[in-house]
C-alpha cells in the first residue's frame, strides 16, 4: 500500500555522521521535524538548528537558523581571512528570505552599513598591501546588503548621509572594481526609487555628468546599471528639477554616447539593457506631455505669432502689424484665404484648432519645426494642396493635428514605463529632436498616401488608418535610423498595403464554404491535441521567470518546469539567468498537479491585489497568472512576455482538463488548420507519391552559410 501523500522520504546528512533516509510527515510543524532529526543524532537544543538544501542554492528551511548567529559573529572576526570567508558566505545566504529575516533581527543591516561607513577606513592600509582582498571584502559586503534589502524587510529611509556619500564615492572613483561599482549603482538606484528623501540626498552626491564615463566602458552590466540610475533620478525628480533633468537627457553628448557605446556596440543587447533603454525612451518622450496637454490661448499673441510664421514661410509674405490702417476687411479675407490653404479647420481663427488636448500645442510645435527645418517639403505640401480642388486637398493643419495625436498614442506619451517591456527603437537615439523628425517623415508620408488613395475630405479617417498601419508595420522592423525608417515607409505604399490586406483577407475567405467548414470541424480536434502536446512539451522544458517587485527591478530569477510524466511542477530560485534547461533535481520545490485547484490571471491574481506599484501597470497585469492550491497556497508568475504567458496558461489549463483560450492558441489553430486544409486540397493528379520517404541528404562539410539573427 503506498504511503500517504503527506509522508515524504528525505535524505538528511550531518557533518561527521552517516546520512539518514527519513520519513517526514509534512503536516507536522517544522520545529517538530527538526527535533526528530536532532534526536536521531542526539543533538541538544534543536531550536538552534535548521534544515538546509544540499544543492547549489544552500537555502534554509526554517524561521530560526543558528547559521545567522554564527555568521554575524564571524564577520566581526579580527582575522582578515576569516572575515573574507564569512562575508562570502553571507553574500550567498542572504538571498534566502528566512536567513535574511534572522540576520536582520540580529541588527545585521546596521552592522554592514557601519562597515561601509567607517570600517573601510580601518582597512585603508590593506588597500595598499592587500588590495584584491579589500576589493573582495567590499564586494561581498555590498552584495549581501543588496540581497538583504531586496526582501523588503527593512525600510530604505533608515540610512545615513554618511552611508550614501560612501556608496556615491565608489561610483565616482575611476579605479573601483567592477563588482563594487555594479553593487553601488544598484544600491543608488534602489535608494532613489524607494525614498523621496533619499532621492534628494543621492541627487546631491551624483550627477549625470559623473555617470557618463561608466557608459563609455565595455561592461554591459555596468552600462545597464548606470542607465538604470539615470532613469531612476529622472523618474523621481520633482517638478522643479524635471526641466533641468530634461535638458540633460536630451543633450547630444548623452544621446551620442548611448548610441555609440551601447546601441551600436559590437555585441548583442541583453534583455535588461533593452528594458532600461526602453524606459529611457519612454521618459524622454514623456517630456512632451506638458505641451501635449496644453491648450492654445487664442488671446496669447506669442502663440498667435507661430501661426503667422507658418503663413509667412508658406506664402513668402511678411506679417502685418495689427494696428495697420486701411481695408481691415480685405486683410481679414486674405488671412482667411491663406489659413484655408494651410488646412486649418477654423479659417477665421486657427488658434481654436489647438484647443483640444491631446495634442494641444505639441501639434503646433511640430508644424513650426517642419516649416523651419524642412522648409522646401513644407512649402511644396502646402502649395500642392492649395492648387487642388477643395475636396481633393490634403489639409495640412488638420492632418498635422491628427497625426501628432496618433504618434503620441503609438509612442504612449504620458504613460509610465512598463516593468516588463523591452521595446525600444534605436532610431529615436540617432537625433536630438527625434520626435519632431519622426513627425516630419510621417506628415510627408500622409501627404503621399493621400495622393495615392486619391482621397477626398470624406476619406480623411480612412487615410489616417492607412497611415497608422504603414507606420506600425515599419516600426515593427526596428529600423536603426530615421533614414532607414523612411526607406521602410517607401516600400509600404498604399498599393502594397492593399496587397497585404488582400492576402490576409484571401486567407480568411478561402475557407468559408460549407465543405471546407465541415472538413475544418473534423480536423480541429486533432489540431487542438497537437497544440496541447506542444504546450505541455514547452512546460516540460520549463521557463525562467524574473522576480519583480514594486521596489526595484533586479536580476533575480526563478525557474519552473513540468515533470516528463506531467504529474509534478518543479520550481526554485536561481542565482542567474540559465543557459538552456535547468535539471529537475536542482529545483528545490515541488507542486503536484493533482493539488492544483485553479489557474487565475490578471487582476484576479493574489499578488496583483497586493498594495504596490505593479498592480497599477497594465502590461504587468496582462502577463500575471497564479496557480492556486490547497486552501491558501499560491504560486505567482509574471511571464517574461506575452508568448510565454500564453504557453503557460494554455499548458496549465490543459493539465486541468480545461480549454486553452489564449490568443496564441487561436492563432496557432487558424494557421495549422489552414495549412492542413491546403495540404488536403492539393491537386495530386498525375503526381506519383513514392512508397518510401526520400533519403536524408548528407551533412554539409561546414556551416558557414548559417546566419545568426541575433
Amino acid at each position: 500500500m503506498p504511503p500517504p501523500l503527506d509522508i515524504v522520504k528525505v535524505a538528511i546528512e550531518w557533518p561527521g555522521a552517516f546520512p539518514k533516509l527519513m520519513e517526514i510527515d509534512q503536516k507536522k510543524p517544522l520545529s517538530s521535524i527538526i527535533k526528530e532529526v536532532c534526536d536521531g543524532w542526539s543533538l541538544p537544543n534543536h531550536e538552534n538548528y535548521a534544515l538546509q538544501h544540499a544543492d547549489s542554492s544552500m537555502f534554509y528551511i526554517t524561521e530560526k537558523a543558528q547559521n545567522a548567529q554564527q555568521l554575524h559573529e564571524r564577520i566581526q572576526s579580527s582575522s582578515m581571512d576569516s572575515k573574507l570567508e564569512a562575508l562570502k558566505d553571507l553574500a550567498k545566504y542572504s538571498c534566502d528570505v528566512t536567513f535574511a529575516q534572522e540576520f536582520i533581527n540580529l541588527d545585521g543591516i546596521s552592522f554592514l552599513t557601519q562597515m561601509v561607513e567607517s570600517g573601510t577606513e580601518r582597512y585603508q592600509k590593506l588597500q595598499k598591501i592587500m588590495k584584491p582582498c579589500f576589493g573582495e571584502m567590499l564586494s561581498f559586503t555590498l552584495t549581501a546588503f543588496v540581497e538583504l534589502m531586496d526582501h523588503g524587510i527593512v525600510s530604505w529611509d533608515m540610512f545615513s548621509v554618511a552611508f550614501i556619500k560612501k556608496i556615491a564615492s565608489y561610483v565616482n572613483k575611476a579605479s573601483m572594481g567592477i563588482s563594487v561599482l555594479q553593487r553601488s549603482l544598484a544600491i543608488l538606484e534602489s535608494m532613489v526609487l524607494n525614498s523621496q528623501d533619499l532621492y534628494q540626498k543621492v541627487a546631491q552626491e551624483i550627477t549625470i555628468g559623473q555617470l557618463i564615463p561608466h557608459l563609455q566602458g565595455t561592461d554591459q552590466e555596468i552600462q545597464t546599471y548606470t542607465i538604470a540610475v539615470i532613469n531612476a533620478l529622472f523618474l523621481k525628480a520633482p517638478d522643479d528639477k524635471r526641466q533641468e533633468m530634461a535638458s540633460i537627457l536630451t543633450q547630444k553628448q548623452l544621446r551620442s554616447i548611448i548610441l555609440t557605446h551601447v546601441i551600436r556596440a559590437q555585441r548583442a543587447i541583453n534583455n535588461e539593457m533593452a528594458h532600461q533603454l526602453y524606459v529611457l525612451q519612454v521618459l524622454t518622450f514623456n517630456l512632451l506631455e506638458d505641451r501635449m496637454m496644453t491648450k492654445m490661448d487664442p488671446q496669447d499673441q506669442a502663440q498667435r505669432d507661430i501661426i503667422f510664421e507658418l503663413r509667412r514661410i508658406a506664402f513668402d509674405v511678411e506679417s502685418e502689424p495689427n494696428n495697420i490702417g486701411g481695408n481691415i476687411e480685405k486683410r481679414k479675407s486674405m488671412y482667411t484665404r491663406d489659413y484655408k490653404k494651410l488646412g486649418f479647420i477654423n479659417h477665421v481663427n486657427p488658434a481654436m484648432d489647438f484647443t483640444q488636448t491631446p495634442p494641444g500645442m505639441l501639434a503646433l510645435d511640430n508644424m513650426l519645426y517642419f516649416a523651419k527645418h524642412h522648409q522646401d517639403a513644407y512649402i511644396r505640401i502646402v502649395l500642392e494642396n492649395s492648387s487642388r480642388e477643395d475636396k481633393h486637398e490634403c489639409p495640412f493643419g488638420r492632418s498635422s493635428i491628427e497625426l501628432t495625436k496618433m504618434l503620441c498614442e503609438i509612442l504612449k506619451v504620458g504613460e509610465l514605463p512598463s516593468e516588463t517591456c523591452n521595446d525600444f527603437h534605436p532610431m529615436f537615439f540617432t537625433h536630438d529632436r527625434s520626435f519632431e523628425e519622426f513627425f516630419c517623415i510621417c506628415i510627408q508620408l500622409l501627404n503621399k498616401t493621400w495622393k495615392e488613395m486619391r482621397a477626398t475630405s470624406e476619406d480623411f479617417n480612412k487615410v489616417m488608418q492607412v497611415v497608422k498601419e504603414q507606420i506600425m508595420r515599419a516600426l515593427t522592423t526596428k529600423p536603426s535610423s530615421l533614414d532607414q525608417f523612411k526607406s521602410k515607409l517607401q516600400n509600404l505604399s498604399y498599393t502594397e498595403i492593399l496587397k497585404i490586406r488582400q492576402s490576409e483577407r484571401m486567407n480568411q475567405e478561402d475557407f468559408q464554404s460549407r465543405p471546407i467548414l465541415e472538413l475544418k470541424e473534423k480536423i480541429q480536434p486533432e489540431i487542438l491535441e497537437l497544440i496541447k502536446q506542444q504546450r505541455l512539451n514547452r512546460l516540460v522544458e520549463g521557463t525562467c521567470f524574473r522576480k519583480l517587485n514594486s521596489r526595484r527591478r533586479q536580476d533575480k530569477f526563478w525557474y519552473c518546469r513540468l515533470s516528463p510524466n506531467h504529474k509534478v511542477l518543479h520550481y526554485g530560485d536561481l542565482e542567474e539567468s540559465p543557459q538552456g534547461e535547468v535539471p529537475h533535481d536542482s529545483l528545490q520545490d515541488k507542486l503536484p498537479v493533482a493539488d492544483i485547484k485553479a489557474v487565475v490571471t490578471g487582476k484576479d491574481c493574489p499578488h496583483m491585489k497586493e498594495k504596490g506599484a505593479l498592480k497599477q501597470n497594465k502590461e504587468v497585469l496582462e502577463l500575471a497568472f497564479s496557480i492556486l492550491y490547497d486552501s491558501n497556497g499560491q504560486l505567482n508568475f509574471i511571464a517574461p512576455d506575452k508568448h510565454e504567458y500564453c504557453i503557460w496558461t494554455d499548458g496549465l489549463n490543459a493539465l486541468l482538463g480545461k480549454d486553452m483560450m489564449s490568443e496564441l492558441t487561436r492563432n496557432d489553430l487558424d494557421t495549422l488548420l489552414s495549412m492542413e486544409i491546403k495540404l488536403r486540397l492539393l491537386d495530386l493528379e498525375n503526381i506519383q507519391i513514392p512508397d518510401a520517404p526520400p533519403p536524408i541528404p548528407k551533412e554539409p562539410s561546414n556551416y558557414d552559410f548559417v546566419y545568426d539573427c541575433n
Side-chain angles (χ1 to χ4, degrees), residues 248-348:
I248 295 173
L249 274 185
T250 54
Q251 67 180 229
K252 187 172 184 178
Q253 182 192 11
L254 178 60
R255 179 190 59 76
S256 298
I257 288 171
I258 291 174
L259 181 66
T260 304
H261 296 278
V262 178
I263 297 175
R264 291 181 176 171
Q266 298 301 310
R267 60 172 180 267
I269 292 177
N270 61 34
N271 287 338
E272 181 62 18
M273 174 59 86
H275 171 75
Q276 294 300 341
L277 290 171
Y278 151 79
V279 173
L280 183 58
Q281 173 185 291
V282 171
L283 294 177
T284 304
F285 283 139
N286 280 356
L287 296 172
L288 304 168
E289 184 181 11
D290 285 345
R291 294 295 283 174
M292 181 183 76
M293 300 308 294
T294 300
K295 296 181 180 181
M296 185 170 183
D297 180 1
Q299 306 305 318
D300 189 318
Q301 187 58 42
Q303 294 179 2
R304 292 171 63 86
D305 285 345
I306 299 176
I307 297 176
F308 293 150
E309 181 68 4
L310 289 173
R311 173 178 175 267
R312 185 194 67 76
I313 295 172
F315 305 114
D316 194 25
V317 296
E318 294 298 330
S319 298
E320 297 122 352
N322 287 333
N323 60 356
I324 227 173
N327 194 334
I328 296 176
E329 290 302 320
K330 184 177 179 181
R331 190 177 67 222
K332 284 184 177 179
S333 174
M334 180 176 61
Y335 278 10
T336 300
R337 180 198 65 204
D338 289 348
Y339 291 149
K340 184 175 184 298
K341 289 180 180 180
L342 282 169
F344 291 113
I345 297 173
N346 192 320
H347 307 151
V348 177

Side-chain angles (χ1 to χ4, degrees), residues 45 159 301 361 373 418 428 444 450 477 499 513 624 703:
N45 303 322
F159 300 110
Q301 187 58 42
M361 287 295 291
H373 293 83
S418 162
F428 291 129
Q444 294 177 74
W450 184 283
T477 65
K499 287 179 182 177
S513 63
Y703 290 87

